[in-house]
Amino acid sequence: MDNQQGPTNEVLLELYKKCALAKINDENARRVIMNGTLPMIYYSPRGQEVIPAAMSVNLRDDDTICTIYRGMHDMVCKGVPVDALWAEYAGKATGTCKGKGGPMHITHPESGCMLTTGIVGSSLPIANGLALSYQLRNLDNVSVAYFGDAASNIGAFHEALNMASIWKLPVVFVCQNNRYGEHTTFAKATSVNKVSDRAASYGMPGIHVDGNDAIAMYNAAKEAIDHARSGKGPVLIEAMTFRFYGHVFGDQDGYMDQAEKKRAMENDPVPKLRDLVISRGIASDAELTEMEAAIDSEIKQAIEAALSAPWPDVDELGKDVVASAV
Amino acid sequence: MDNQQGPTNEVLLELYKKCALAKINDENARRVIMNGTLPMIYYSPRGQEVIPAAMSVNLRDDDTICTIYRGMHDMVCKGVPVDALWAEYAGKATGTCKGKGGPMHITHPESGCMLTTGIVGSSLPIANGLALSYQLRNLDNVSVAYFGDAASNIGAFHEALNMASIWKLPVVFVCQNNRYGEHTTFAKATSVNKVSDRAASYGMPGIHVDGNDAIAMYNAAKEAIDHARSGKGPVLIEAMTFRFYGHVFGDQDGYMDQAEKKRAMENDPVPKLRDLVISRGIASDAELTEMEAAIDSEIKQAIEAALSAPWPDVDELGKDVVASAV
Amino acid sequence: MVNTEEQTTVIQALNAAMADAMEQDDSIFLLGEDIADPEEGGVAGVTAGLSTRFGDSRVRSTPISEQAIVGAGIGAALNGMRPVLEIMMMNFATVAMDMIVNHAAKLRFMSGGQTQVPLTIRMATGAGLSTAGQHADYLEAWFAHTAGLKVVTYSNPADAYGLLQSCIFDNDPCIFIENFLSYSVKGGAPEKGSRVPLGKAKVVREGSDLTIVCYGAQVSIALSVAEKFAAEGVSVEVVDLRTISPWDQETVFTSVAKTGRLVVSHEALKAFGVGAEIAAVVQQELWSSLKAPVRRAGAPTCPVPYSRPLELAFMTSVEDLETEARLLLK
Amino acid sequence: MVNTEEQTTVIQALNAAMADAMEQDDSIFLLGEDIADPEEGGVAGVTAGLSTRFGDSRVRSTPISEQAIVGAGIGAALNGMRPVLEIMMMNFATVAMDMIVNHAAKLRFMSGGQTQVPLTIRMATGAGLSTAGQHADYLEAWFAHTAGLKVVTYSNPADAYGLLQSCIFDNDPCIFIENFLSYSVKGGAPEKGSRVPLGKAKVVREGSDLTIVCYGAQVSIALSVAEKFAAEGVSVEVVDLRTISPWDQETVFTSVAKTGRLVVSHEALKAFGVGAEIAAVVQQELWSSLKAPVRRAGAPTCPVPYSRPLELAFMTSVEDLETEARLLLK
Ligand SMILES: Cc1ncc(C[n+]2csc(CCOP(=O)(O)OP(=O)(O)O)c2C)c(N)n1
Ligand SMILES: Cc1ncc(C[n+]2csc(CCOP(=O)(O)OP(=O)(O)O)c2C)c(N)n1
Ligand SMILES: [Mg+2]
Ligand SMILES: [Mg+2]
């Protein structure tokens, strides 16, 4: 790797702030589901926050991401506003997608969140297309595809990486390896030890990184994004991480290795990063606590607003299906 | 590689005989197309004969293959009888498939030809299934998937190799790399120099071999088939070769590098093997000539018989759609 | 041993259908994502216990590779096995349509009958759970438009059992459609080994004024509508197709010849849906018996929406079906 | 400048439609297997010359990766480009159905209108060339059953040009269906930049006794049938749908209201095909104007066969259509 300098203090604080936002947002999501205020099918990304936070501090506002059902952290780190997000979770007219898409299909072009897909593997070919549009227009934007470890076994992954490589598309493929695809372990489903090793099949750089280590992940993200932006083509990052709350929130995680899970939760990357921020003297505990409280209150307001927002009209069923009736 | 002894004289002669059969069959196909006796859309495998010949002398009769539209050589080497084959080419009731399948869908379970597909990449997942049936039944048969170089860029390739590897299926994936997928060069479409290097993505052995060198190809085939048969799991073979008559026979091969093509045709693997058989004293020129003449006459008879065979009844449209009307 | 206490759930019936079939015939095996017990026997638990009972080899959790799953099923079926595949949700079949349509459906015909694909592909779907646009499509019309496939679904536990058994032992590829919301539906217990014949519809309520042809979750909706009309003195006959393709023309014709009025109802989009075929055939064949045009109830032309009021409006409801029926009775 | 000498072929018209669009709007680019000139401008040559003219970057030959091709088109379309994709043959769309149906078709709706996918996917098909089971399917009914897609085809060069132009400049994903046998069909030259509106059918022959609704290659067959009937004093109106979905109900209704008799005809399987929807709607909406039930001509329920006599019997012919029409006139 070229750039091993790590983030500046300012950037590290920003990175932490993004992590905190994703973590607190997730805590609120689980809270409102548990207490029945806002029941929904929810795929918690708790534990994976550092990855998109580190990516996002290296991305520009006009760079774009394509993410998946478990992509709440990817979204908020990229800048999807929590009020529109929560209104969408609640299925309200004020939601990002007017309530039509829901949690699995959050879209917010303004912040660069171009696609959230519920289909495993499908974020990659579409991220290629965004990258292709930059290439065709001679723009130096970068496109990011987020996906899981299990997605690396589906056909779309293979086709997308091959195409991105031969055309040197400015795209970064970020595999968030949380060791499970639904209830199946990575090892049981995957014929290779490291997803990043598959990069060799496509003649592209493959980076294996501890996605829970903010500094390492920052360096990996910076290297990959710089590489793509400078026209050298795509990069595959495999960021090792863990999801704390199973596949779908509320599932009986009997399929999980409980010791592994316990270990992972003890090594929660967000408080670790918080400690680092404090120990480096970037911010004090009190300052961070204040910041976190502000985030939490913003989210709680967003939830309140979402709950009291109007439902979409039923005639919305006939709208946005096509551009206009022909 | 373990077994570098090469074929015995007897096996080498058999291997040559299979090559000659495929080559002469192809010559007849091109002849009847050119002279208008039996016009058809035909994907000539001329130049690729050594690959399935070497595979087939290492396979048992009850091993099975799944091949593709360009698989005539794979079929006849495995034992599909030329009379039924030609009757199918002619669309006659006496064809392998009663005229319903045609050249792109030749099936002949008796000789182990379980599938011919016209869809790029689709021979691989189905070959896995045949291998899975052997594994589930504790049989030591081997399943072979033949496919082209360009097929290595499609999703089905990726999914099939991953699944075969994790389940240690007795399947051999044989990529016949003839440097082109339709009109597109291998290099233009593929992000890796060697298809066999992709084996590493699946934790399986990858063998790169000159598929036009009968001895090398024999050794590769033997090694891979032994590996699969002994329960050690799948192998990916990339056999380098060339197709002499373009994608579909009759195409204007303006897209091809003519010098490359000339060189390849000058290095026709079949006469080269013929010379080897003679120089090793396994058979004389005269004996081979006689053998070839016998093959040619058998094929010509098959063509005659096919041409005069009856058409299928039109009510065949309603048959073999389902097992029986429910 | 029909359990009159209606204590069996659809999920139990489906599980039992597979268990009983596997017990009887060792060419039957299961593939699908998360279906084995270490992975909790499937996301909905339909296959729970089967890997423990029949072994990890015959009940395999797979990678997320639907093309490879269906391909593995096809290849094994070509060699005489009877694979039962789970595609977790019907929308995910879209990544495996080549395998299903170009291969499973056609290999018998293209081989001139030399090979066959006795394969069952289970797939679940259903709006109503707020899973939105990519998890609740109804694609039965696609499969029905494909020669060589049988398309089957159920409305109660006993049929779920008997139809799944029939699919498993059938010599053709069967698309067996499940509905998430149906899993907890209770009913009489199926008899062990009982099979419901493919291609045979069932008159689930007799009537004389109007016929409702439907399948799956619509059957209970149709029965509610029938109840409502009964209170008004209108007698509604309800036909549960059970096999969507090939559908039982005889039973439908007999019913419509009697009632002279038909509404076809399904959860899928109305436009270009299964109901269109039934309407087209019935109006042609029973032209002179019909007292009014055939009408259809089905979803509007839009993706499945997320927001609850939109989702409810999207789903074919008692009111939707009732509206169509009333138009016929005018 | 309509060329009355009927010298333009469909292939020229399609090529010109793309060339003229690319000249006009640089957000248009083409992806597909073998479509660039080093690869001979497509297997059928539809895109010949375009990479030479517009550059290798805007006209790209792709790997054999239909999911990646459609995905690339979708992503670029999300960013405001107007990609035109070639899926060499319609059957190969089966490996990309997730991209087309779960994504291209739905993103506008699922995003609440924030994004759109102005994408054109060209795909060719057609029995008659002995390509057999996996290269000649007609899947328009699948696409028509998918909310968010427009499905378009042509019967002559001028329409091929004008419809393709309309698709390219339309803001929704359009499935543009080509027919291999049609490529050499000649007709009047299209005017440069002319567009044929989507969703508008065309009465290609007026008549008063019977309406034939059809599209694509069936139009010339319908015209032959109409000629035959004319000789017998029966006046047949022929409606060329041009847009299969959404189809032009107004034009069809007007015609059937006049003639009282309708045959819908297509090359696809009759069962669960596009004709079923049209028949179902027309019998419902024009019940009192109809003098006889709507009838349909289409292929039998089997895969496309190889053998020439079988293939000919499979294809919807003048005789098939005539037979249905005569049954209506009885
Ligand atoms: C094509 C397809 N098959 C199956 C599913 C069901 N499914 C949803 S998430 C998931 C697991 C994906 O695991 P991974 O890629 O590791 O991502 P993670 O959920 O762990 O973040 C599966 C199988 C799907 N959505 N799409
Ligand atoms: C899914 C799919 N896409 C496209 C095609 C059209 N097609 C037929 S053969 C071919 C080239 C395949 O090349 P390769 O795999 O190298 O095999 P070869 O023909 O060289 O033996 C293509 C693109 C197809 N049959 N299936
Ligand atoms: Mg995972
Ligand atoms: Mg090739």
Side-chain angles (χ1 to χ4, degrees), chain C residues 106 137 145 271-272 277 294, chain D residues 106 137 145 271-272 277 283 294:
Chain C
K106 291 175 179 163
D137 277 343
H145 189 49
F272 300 93
E277 176 67 17
V294 181
Chain D
K106 292 176 179 163
D137 277 343
H145 189 49
F272 300 91
E277 176 68 15
Q283 63 86 34
V294 182

Side-chain angles (χ1 to χ4, degrees), chain A residues 43 48 68-70 118-121 147-152 154 176 178-182 243 247, chain C residues 33-34 64-66 88-89 92 95 135:
Chain A
Y43 304 88
Q48 305 183 189
I68 62 171
Y69 50 91
R70 197 186 302 289
I119 306 294
V120 167
F147 57 99
D149 47 291
S152 75
I154 203 163
Q176 304 189 18
N178 60 16
R179 320 302 297 170
Y180 287 87
E182 294 218 338
R243 38 158 231 216
H247 174 58
Chain C
E33 292 156 15
D34 292 334
I64 307 178
S65 307
E66 282 80 3
M88 196 182 291
M89 293 184 197
F92 312 157
V95 296
H135 284 70

Side-chain angles (χ1 to χ4, degrees), chain D residues 127-143:
Chain D
L129 289 165
S130 303
T131 50
Q134 295 179 333
H135 284 70
D137 277 343
Y138 303 90
L139 305 178
E140 62 268 24
W142 290 11
F143 297 118

Side-chain angles (χ1 to χ4, degrees), chain A residues 34-54:
Chain A
M34 289 294 280
N35 71 18
T37 316
L38 185 45
M40 61 176 165
I41 297 179
Y42 178 67
Y43 304 88
S44 168
R46 192 62 264 287
Q48 305 183 189
E49 295 86 349
V50 167
I51 301 165

